Amino acid sequence: AAAASREFPPGAGELSEPNRRSFMQLLGSSAALAGVAACHQPQEQTVPFVRRPEEVTPGMPLHFATAYSLEGFSRGLVVRSYEGRPTKIEGNPDHRDSLGGTSSFEQALLLGLYDDDRAKQIRHKGEPVAWRQVLAQVAALSNRHAGDGGAALRFLTEPTASPMLSELRQRILAKFPNAKFTSFSPVASDGAADGLRAAYGRPVEARHDLSGAAVIVSLDSDFLGDGPEQLRLSRQFAAHRVPAAGMNRLYVAEPTISVTGMSADHRLRLRAGDVAAFAQALAAELGGRGGFSQLASLAGAGRPTDAAQAKWVRAVAADLAANRGRSLVVAGRRQPAAVHALAAALNAALDNVGVTVSYAAPVLTDARAGFAPITTLAQEIAAGQVETLVITARNPAYGAPVDLKFDKLIARVPTSIYHSLYEDETAQACTFFVPAAHPLESWGDGRATDGTVSIIQPLIAPLWGGISEIELLAAFVGQGDQAAYKLLRQSWLAKLDTVPGAVGDPDQLWEKWLADGVLVGTETSPLSDLTLDLGAVGQQLQTANTAAPKGAGIELVFAPDYKVFDGRFANASWLQELPDPITKVTWDNAAQMSPATAKALGVKVERDGDKLSILNIEYRDRHIHAPAIIVPGHADDCITLTLGYGRDGAERVARGIGFNAGALRTSEAPWFDRGAQVSLATGMHLFGITQNHWSDEGREPAMEVAIADLQNEHSAFHEHVEERRGIPITIHKPVDYSKVLYKWGMAIDLSKCTGCSACVVACQAENNIPVVGKANVVVGREMQWLRIDRYYSGELEDPEVVVQPLACVHCETAPCEYVCPVNATVHSDEGLNEMVYNRCIGTRYCSNNCPYKVRRFNFLDYTSETPAVRRLGMNPEVTVRSRGIMEKCTYCVQRIEKKRIDTRIEGTVIKDDLQTACQQGCPSDAIVFGNLNDPQARVTKLHQDARRYDLLHELGTRPRTAYLARVRNPNPELAKG
């Protein structure tokens, strides 16, 4: 009976190398069972509306504005929902931080909502209990702590800028004046908070603006790939990578290539511990120039650099001086307080304050949320000063400094209450566990980096009875039995006078806030009365020079992971299978190092570069095993370790993947330190890497050009690009598409693309693309319809990087079409290369004949075992493909047809408001889709751009996706030699 319920016998869906006997057995069994399996129907239970809500039309989606908070700051979202089921997440164009874009993290929130591994049961010492029992326990605790004002009561929370959570915090402290709140995130930058406080004598937050920045200097800051300002800065940066808009110039000093480093015009590889010395040398160089006398007092702090760095310092200082008031120096989260203070001093001396950077009172409730605050809390627990600990921070037992042994400390607290989406490592140590409601199930509020308020509304009722953080904290002020919606609405309607323009009926105002997703006018103003304290900056530099990493040994550098961040997204299989933007590794993290360091350590490389040695890394009496990976452009004598892996909680996807780099992070050196001893361990590690070959071999699939050559009409670039556009010689007669209304096409601007990979996850969410697992990736069976190729050029030690998104390019003369024996891949009259899934028999001739290698074959049955709850989030407009067919990018044909229906009803035509999923998710506006028969369409104008070229044009495929060559804006002084 079990076998009859499936199309294939047991084992058919496993990844193995079949022999002739097993193949014939499989073939015979499949034929015998085909008729029986076709009769099986899944059991379903359908509950109809008694009365259909007026706003709900079956099959027609609704869109709701909400927000998601990461690192305390909210990003505006718009979520598509079918009959109460969220199916796709987009950015809110009206939100001042998201601007309509998303990162891969926001795209993957949908997968987290329908994650069957989420916690489903409130527990007390492992035993199931009800929410009312937790409320009774909280009431008893409140009575017990009331006597001493909560002296033994502690709250460990995420960094937050939520007005509602801040209000609850104030009410709790009013009731328990001796209680304490501690904010904690494993990736928080206390260096930024401490450095700016020292520079300006008070807590401030920096707000960066690249719209007016002609020269940008990044001091180990990955602002295009990481951080609360990432989406907005990506859009602003990309807008000025177009020659017509005025090219900016980006300098980056960092230990390993980052997303920002890939976009740099000039990149200097430095160990993280050497960035401070470079920044001081830059300040000293500027201090010796006319007009920058205020930096003279810092000149003595500059330490000598080698010849290459000295050349860099002179060139960068001259460029900054020439662009006074139009430049920006930005320091990264890894760097200590001194570098952030020095960046503030440089920006002040360059007259950038108020133009490219401003400073405002902190939006976050706690400016410091790194290792220092949790270390203080750990000391209080160790001293027996804590009787009740309430934890809403994400998994501190895993993310806290290893020397604190925080999991052991939690177990010493008599009563600990942990609120989380998963029963993770922290849940195992706590007395009470309360499942959290997912952000798409919760009411709440938040603030953007500029203070603009968003109301967070749920898209669906909690699937497993999760409790929001608002409800948990409200229990300590006697309101735990009230819904978060009621508390939130009452709070905001009681302070209407704080919202500019909030005049009229309160109910209508509330509905407008929910519809818009933002409360216009609630942003906070930059401070205008700040005075820079150069003496304090100098003291910070002296302290930094004393504490700078010294001595022998390898430098260890820690970094948030591009896919799982600090580990909170580790159970999202979309992100685990997403290739790392730099290394292209999936389902793993690695010890990243330069080719020279790998050679010195004796690292072995086998297969096609995806099987490497495992290292034994020892640091401060601790050690881990980590597989090595070689990264061109990495600083020598330095190893970068990404966080978020090596999990052993209840998350089945995350468990056992990678190694825990946090096992070497200490409270004294949370981001980098020297003195690690590295040797080869036993064995080799096989990675699932989607791109092994680094070089373009002179074929230039991703073209790039210096701006001087672009502006020279007689340069070799223009001769070369002319060869790669227009109508090539072909034996096929070109089809005349001028008679049809729509001629669909796409343009991708490589100057704007940062390689962040948000488009890849957006495509996966929109088109129900399955994950295949590491074993299948290893043998080249990844299924993403859109990939981002990354090419190195130049020297291996200091390469230049260019990235190129690539999906089906919808050739007008498609090589796949004339080899398909069943006419499964065909052309529409509007130029779409379509796949008829019901015809496909899986010959894979089309894939063999595709020069772009963008077609994906369903080798195994990836979807039959999908949990029922996960199926709720699948896009009903896109079929869920079965085993044994070819699939690929369709230019989101379902969106085209939906828009076609809408415009027919309205009596209009489709304009630029039609967007593909990858285009809509892109934070840098690098992808444009539209009608090439519309002369006013953006895509038409980009196809006519001087930088436009066709990939593999010489084959005569006439692709509908055109690329615009990447433009670099090098400094002539650094470009010499």
Side-chain angles (χ1 to χ4, degrees):
S5 67
R6 300 185 58 185
E7 180 183 0
F8 300 99
E14 298 174 0
L15 183 65
S16 60
E17 295 295 333
N19 54 32
R20 184 177 182 276
R21 179 184 298 275
S22 63
F23 174 77
M24 295 305 294
Q25 290 174 342
L26 174 61
L27 182 64
S29 301
S30 300
L33 293 172
V36 179
C39 300
H40 177 75
Q41 294 291 333
Q43 294 183 354
E44 295 181 353
Q45 182 179 11
T46 303
V47 180
F49 289 120
V50 176
R51 178 178 297 170
R52 180 173 61 83
E54 184 176 338
E55 70 276 7
V56 175
T57 301
M60 298 296 291
L62 297 175
H63 295 82
F64 298 89
T66 184
Y68 171 64
S69 293
L70 183 64
E71 298 189 76
F73 298 101
S74 67
R75 293 176 176 176
L77 305 176
V78 175
V79 184
R80 183 182 67 202
S81 176
Y82 283 89
E83 288 89 54
R85 298 178 294 110
T87 61
K88 187 63 172 66
I89 294 173
E90 310 292 357
N92 185 348
D94 296 330
H95 192 271
R96 295 168 71 112
D97 266 345
S98 60
L99 301 175
T102 59
S103 72
S104 56
F105 299 144
E106 282 82 43
Q107 292 291 340
L109 283 178
L110 192 72
L111 196 63
L113 171 66
Y114 298 111
D115 189 351
D116 199 40
D117 284 351
R118 279 176 51 196
K120 303 177 176 67
Q121 179 62 57
I122 302 174
R123 299 187 185 277
H124 176 234
K125 296 182 178 179
E127 297 299 320
V129 296
W131 174 237
R132 64 178 179 273
Q133 293 174 270
V134 176
L135 292 179
Q137 179 67 26
V138 170
L141 290 171
S142 298
N143 291 334
R144 189 167 72 218
H145 288 295
D148 60 2
L153 175 62
R154 299 291 184 272
F155 294 84
L156 181 60
T157 68
E158 286 272 296
T160 183
S162 163
M164 184 71 230
L165 292 177
S166 178
E167 178 183 317
L168 285 171
R169 175 175 178 166
Q170 293 170 5
R171 293 176 60 189
I172 290 172
L173 291 176
K175 183 176 180 179
F176 305 104
N178 296 322
K180 294 180 182 178
F181 278 79
T182 298
S183 291
F184 172 69
S185 168
V187 296
S189 175
D190 283 347
D194 294 343
L196 292 178
R197 179 195 288 266
Y200 286 106
R202 58 200 267 195
V204 295
E205 287 176 350
R207 299 177 182 174
H208 302 99
D209 185 351
L210 301 184
S211 58
V215 175
I216 307 158
V217 178
S218 163
L219 301 175
D220 196 16
S221 172
D222 187 15
F223 59 84
L224 296 179
D226 178 34
E229 297 181 294
Q230 174 202 352
L231 301 181
R232 175 171 48 80
L233 295 184
S234 294
R235 181 66 59 89
Q236 292 174 347
F237 176 79
H240 290 275
R241 297 305 289 180
V242 180
M247 289 283 290
N248 56 28
R249 181 175 293 143
L250 173 61
Y251 301 92
V252 176
E254 61 184 3
T256 185
I257 290 183
S258 63
V259 166
T260 305
M262 289 195 299
S263 297
D265 295 294
H266 294 284
R267 181 180 172 275
L268 180 66
R269 60 188 187 121
L270 290 175
R271 291 184 294 182
D274 293 332
V275 172
F278 168 78
Q280 293 173 57
L282 182 60
E285 178 70 22
L286 273 171
R289 292 173 177 266
F292 297 96
S293 58
Q294 63 267 54
L295 295 176
S297 61
L298 306 177
R303 293 187 290 178
T305 58
D306 60 33
Q309 292 183 32
K311 181 178 179 180
W312 244 73
V313 167
R314 290 192 298 270
V316 174
D319 213 358
L320 288 172
N323 287 275
R324 195 166 187 164
R326 300 175 59 245
S327 58
L328 176 66
V329 180
V330 54
R333 70 164 83 226
R334 261 195 300 257
Q335 291 302 308
V339 177
H340 288 270
L342 185 53
L346 288 168
N347 284 319
L350 290 164
D351 298 332
N352 294 331
V353 179
V355 183
T356 61
V357 63
S358 59
Y359 301 97
V363 174
L364 295 177
T365 304
D366 286 324
R368 304 176 85 241
F371 280 12
I374 198 172
T375 299
T376 301
L377 174 63
Q379 293 169 350
E380 293 177 340
I381 296 174
Q385 300 172 7
V386 181
E387 295 180 4
T388 301
L389 177 63
V390 181
I391 304 173
T392 60
R394 183 63 64 93
N395 202 6
Y398 169 81
V402 64
D403 54 313
L404 298 186
K405 299 180 180 179
F406 202 71
D407 55 339
K408 303 293 191 301
L409 290 175
I410 294 174
R412 294 171 57 178
V413 179
T415 303
S416 53
I417 302 173
Y418 182 43
H419 174 262
S420 177
L421 284 169
Y422 298 96
E423 294 190 43
D424 51 30
E425 293 87 339
T426 302
Q428 301 168 13
C430 291
T431 311
F432 283 91
F433 175 77
V434 179
H438 189 271
L440 296 179
E441 300 171 335
S442 306
W443 285 99
D445 56 11
R447 289 186 181 271
T449 55
D450 70 347
T452 299
V453 173
S454 292
I455 301 296
I456 300 172
Q457 62 175 319
L459 273 293
I460 191 171
L463 295 172
W464 291 290
I467 305 299
S468 70
E469 185 176 1
I470 289 176
E471 293 166 320
L472 177 60
L473 295 184
F476 284 86
V477 290
Q479 293 183 313
D481 56 344
Q482 296 191 26
Y485 170 77
K486 181 179 179 181
L487 294 170
L488 182 69
R489 191 172 186 276
Q490 286 177 346
S491 174
W492 277 103
L493 294 185
K495 51 188 178 186
L496 285 177
D497 57 336
T498 65
V499 181
V503 179
D505 180 62
D507 292 335
Q508 292 182 359
L509 286 172
W510 177 256
E511 294 299 325
K512 176 176 171 50
W513 294 342
L514 294 181
D516 294 345
V518 292
L519 277 63
V520 178
T522 52
E523 66 274 9
T524 57
S525 300
L527 299 170
S528 58
D529 59 343
L530 294 175
T531 301
L532 184 70
D533 187 346
L534 284 173
V537 175
Q539 292 176 1
Q540 288 283 333
L541 293 175
Q542 292 177 6
T543 302
N545 290 336
T546 302
K550 299 179 179 66
I554 298 287
E555 178 176 282
L556 296 182
V557 177
F558 301 97
D561 189 76
Y562 283 120
K563 300 182 295 176
V564 304
F565 198 51
D566 59 1
R568 69 185 62 210
F569 300 108
N571 213 55
S573 55
W574 286 350
L575 297 179
Q576 288 282 7
E577 196 156 292
L578 178 69
D580 182 276
I582 314 301
T583 65
K584 299 303 175 182
V585 168
T586 65
W587 294 98
D588 253 318
N589 61 336
Q592 302 176 27
M593 64 189 66
S594 70
T597 301
K599 182 178 180 180
L601 293 173
V603 172
K604 298 178 182 178
V605 182
E606 296 180 358
R607 286 183 34 120
D608 194 18
D610 55 5
K611 191 173 185 180
L612 292 95
S613 298
I614 299 174
L615 305 176
N616 180 54
I617 304 176
E618 298 183 29
Y619 171 73
R620 296 196 180 189
D621 300 325
R622 299 177 178 87
H623 75 93
I624 61 171
H625 283 171
I629 195 162
I630 300 171
V631 180
H634 199 289
D636 295 335
D637 299 322
C638 173
I639 291 178
T640 299
L641 307 174
T642 56
L643 306 171
Y645 293 85
R647 303 289 309 285
D648 58 7
E651 299 117 299
R652 287 175 291 181
V653 173
R655 188 188 307 135
I657 294 177
F659 62 91
N660 181 10
L664 298 180
R665 287 184 89 193
T666 66
S667 55
E668 295 179 0
W671 287 110
F672 57 84
D673 196 16
R674 292 178 192 164
Q677 301 300 316
V678 183
S679 58
L680 293 183
T682 303
M684 305 281 285
H685 183 83
L686 180 61
F687 287 105
I689 300 179
T690 59
Q691 184 184 0
N692 299 90
H693 199 69
W694 294 340
S695 172
D696 62 13
E697 299 295 344
R699 293 172 295 187
E700 293 187 295
M703 292 185 66
E704 55 182 333
V705 59
I707 189 169
D709 291 332
L710 180 65
Q711 294 170 345
N712 180 6
E713 296 181 359
H714 303 290
S715 67
F717 168 77
H718 288 285
E719 295 179 6
H720 189 30
V721 82
E722 282 297 330
E723 299 172 359
R724 305 182 67 173
R725 55 196 301 180
I727 303 296
I729 298 175
T730 176
I731 62 173
H732 298 276
K733 181 180 179 181
V735 176
D736 182 9
Y737 289 98
S738 64
K739 306 299 182 186
V740 296
L741 179 59
Y742 301 114
K743 176 183 176 182
W744 302 115
M746 180 176 284
I748 301 178
D749 192 339
L750 301 186
S751 275
K752 292 185 175 183
C753 178
T754 63
C756 71
S757 301
C759 57
V760 179
V761 188
C763 175
Q764 192 156 18
E766 173 72 18
N767 294 293
N768 300 330
I769 300 173
V771 295
V772 301
K774 178 180 175 179
N776 281 283
V777 175
V778 167
V779 294
R781 294 178 177 176
E782 62 270 15
M783 287 295 296
Q784 288 111 340
W785 292 0
L786 171 63
R787 71 174 188 263
I788 300 181
D789 293 333
R790 179 261 300 121
Y791 298 102
Y792 295 113
S793 61
E795 298 295 328
L796 196 63
E797 292 75 16
D798 290 295
E800 291 184 338
V801 188
V802 60
V803 294
Q804 181 180 60
L806 182 59
C808 176
V809 295
H810 292 264
C811 312
E812 289 187 10
T813 306
C816 57
E817 293 179 8
Y818 48 79
V819 296
C820 179
V822 293
N823 212 29
T825 176
V826 296
H827 231 71
S828 76
D829 59 356
E830 295 174 343
L832 294 183
N833 177 248
E834 299 177 331
M835 275 299 305
V836 184
Y837 295 137
N838 285 345
R839 292 179 185 169
C840 182
I841 60 174
T843 64
R844 289 176 285 158
Y845 295 161
C846 58
S847 179
N848 292 337
N849 218 41
C850 174
Y852 304 96
K853 299 307 172 192
V854 289
R855 305 178 75 86
R856 300 289 184 248
F857 185 69
N858 259 323
F859 280 92
L860 302 178
D861 191 2
Y862 301 120
T863 58
S864 65
E865 303 299 328
T866 302
V869 67
R870 170 67 192 96
R871 293 181 181 272
L872 293 175
M874 290 184 171
N875 186 357
E877 301 292 336
V878 179
T879 181
V880 178
R881 282 78 61 192
S882 60
R883 176 182 182 177
I885 64 168
M886 190 66 66
E887 52 187 80
K888 64 167 192 68
C889 164
T890 65
Y891 273 167
C892 286
V893 66
Q894 69 278 3
R895 293 192 174 198
I896 296 175
E897 295 307 314
K898 174 66 171 61
K899 196 67 178 179
R900 194 194 309 274
I901 293 171
D902 292 343
T903 53
R904 282 175 177 171
I905 294 173
E906 298 165 358
T908 59
V909 295
I910 301 175
K911 294 293 185 181
D912 277 345
D913 53 346
L914 169 62
Q915 293 182 310
T916 60
C918 57
Q919 174 186 6
Q920 193 166 8
C922 178
S924 60
D925 195 31
I927 303 173
V928 175
F929 174 78
N931 178 16
L932 291 171
N933 278 344
D934 179 1
Q936 301 303 317
R938 289 182 64 200
V939 69
T940 305
K941 296 176 180 179
L942 290 176
H943 270 242
Q944 298 167 352
D945 192 280
R947 295 182 288 134
R948 174 262 173 119
Y949 70 95
D950 294 336
L951 184 59
L952 301 183
H953 172 80
E954 62 276 10
L955 299 180
T957 58
R958 295 200 298 278
R960 281 289 179 85
T961 296
Y963 290 91
L964 276 67
R966 177 176 178 177
V967 183
R968 295 190 183 275
N969 186 19
N971 186 323
E973 292 301 316
L974 290 179
K976 294 177 182 178

